[in-house]
Amino acid sequence: METGKFITLEGGEGAGKTTQATRIKSVLEEAGIEVVITREPGGTFGAEAIRGLVLGGSHERWSGLTELLLMYAARLDHVEKLIKPALARGVWVLCDRFSDSSMAYQGYARGLGPEQVAAIDDVVMQGFKPDLTILFNIDPILAQRRVKTRGEDLSRFDTEDLEFHKVLQAAFLDIAKHNPKRFRIVDATLSRDAIETQIKHILMKHFSGLHLG
Ligand code: TYD
């Protein structure tokens, strides 16, 4: 049996990744593909427990490096117990954030530096990468307004200031530029329908033989 494809969704807060994950899942399922949606940090019992640790509490709770190690501890559990077994069964995995978030948030925005994050990634992931990463690009001012109007619980990360989010957006764009084969960028200021259409085209171009209605 053919293995499944691993697709990650990346971007700053308020970019609409979660809504699109559900939409992409339906579109792929209509094409007869089995899909699982998951997220990081989290996705497995153990990784969700780590998520509670890393996203809860005050801003100063963890140093940047501790935060990075917690993210990778959660990620390894997630990859070993959920992602790789699903792919091996031929299931496609849609993941809301993955390693590129560690690079953008801990590596760039929190200032650990890209080399340190890449080194940990090499040791823990051993070259395991998504088949495709869709970057939801949005102006941070617009994104912040969206997060606020959603009225959700503000996690430790959502309370970061605008400058942080600007660094983050630049970081994601830089990571995308350095990984042009794996990354596709969508304009997250467009309507939900327009974004869905963009993503469908991206998927059909990236995965030959895939036809979506
Ligand atoms: P979440 O509420 O899922 O945010 P979003 O809806 O924007 O995806 O919270 C996840 C937070 O964790 C988000 O602020 C990004 C952050 N994060 C990191 O800092 N490093 C990582 O490696 C990952 C996966 C997430």
Side-chain angles (χ1 to χ4, degrees):
M1 188 207 282
E2 234 188 278
T3 59
K5 302 292 181 199
F6 180 34
I7 302 168
T8 58
L9 311 178
E10 296 282 5
E13 259 98 312
K17 291 179 277 96
T18 315
T19 308
Q20 290 299 329
T22 315
R23 288 182 172 220
I24 304 166
K25 181 174 193 270
S26 305
V27 165
L28 288 170
E29 282 174 347
E30 276 165 29
I33 295 167
E34 197 183 329
V35 181
V36 63
I37 293 182
T38 186
R39 67 167 179 186
E40 288 213 345
T44 57
F45 185 75
E48 289 290 333
I50 297 173
R51 179 187 176 92
L53 283 176
V54 79
L55 297 189
S58 78
H59 184 86
E60 298 80 24
R61 186 175 187 187
W62 309 109
S63 75
L65 184 55
T66 309
E67 194 170 273
L68 179 72
L69 294 171
L70 287 169
M71 292 296 178
Y72 270 94
R75 181 161 302 132
L76 186 57
D77 195 66
H78 191 206
V79 167
E80 285 177 340
K81 293 191 182 141
L82 190 151
I83 298 174
K84 282 188 176 170
L87 296 174
R89 291 199 314 275
V91 175
W92 288 36
V93 178
L94 286 180
C95 190
D96 192 340
R97 299 194 180 282
F98 194 65
S99 304
D100 298 303
S101 276
S102 296
M103 182 57 91
Y105 280 80
Q106 281 69 48
Y108 286 77
R110 291 196 181 277
L112 279 185
E115 297 79 14
Q116 189 152 221
V117 179
I120 301 279
D121 192 85
D122 278 352
V123 171
V124 181
M125 289 294 116
Q126 311 218 339
F128 179 71
K129 293 209 183 312
D131 295 297
L132 170 69
T133 299
I134 299 172
L135 173 59
F136 288 69
N137 186 38
I138 186 169
D139 180 84
I141 298 176
L142 237 163
Q144 239 186 12
R145 209 176 297 153
R146 276 197 197 175
V147 170
K148 281 186 185 142
T149 53
R150 278 195 318 224
E152 291 171 0
D153 264 6
L154 290 183
S155 77
R156 201 159 65 81
F157 291 92
D158 286 321
T159 53
E160 301 286 355
D161 62 11
L162 195 59
E163 196 47 45
F164 180 87
H165 288 282
K166 283 186 184 159
V167 173
L168 203 56
Q169 187 195 26
F172 274 121
L173 289 172
D174 197 51
I175 299 165
K177 206 172 93 189
H178 285 95
N179 297 276
K181 280 201 182 134
R182 177 165 65 84
F183 266 87
R184 294 294 176 271
I185 301 173
V186 299
D187 177 357
T189 59
L190 298 176
S191 71
R192 287 174 171 166
D193 287 347
I195 296 173
E196 183 185 327
T197 305
Q198 269 195 21
I199 294 176
K200 273 197 227 167
H201 285 123
I202 288 170
L203 292 173
M204 286 191 282
K205 253 187 133 173
H206 201 80
F207 300 112
S208 57
L210 178 66
H211 294 290
L212 302 174

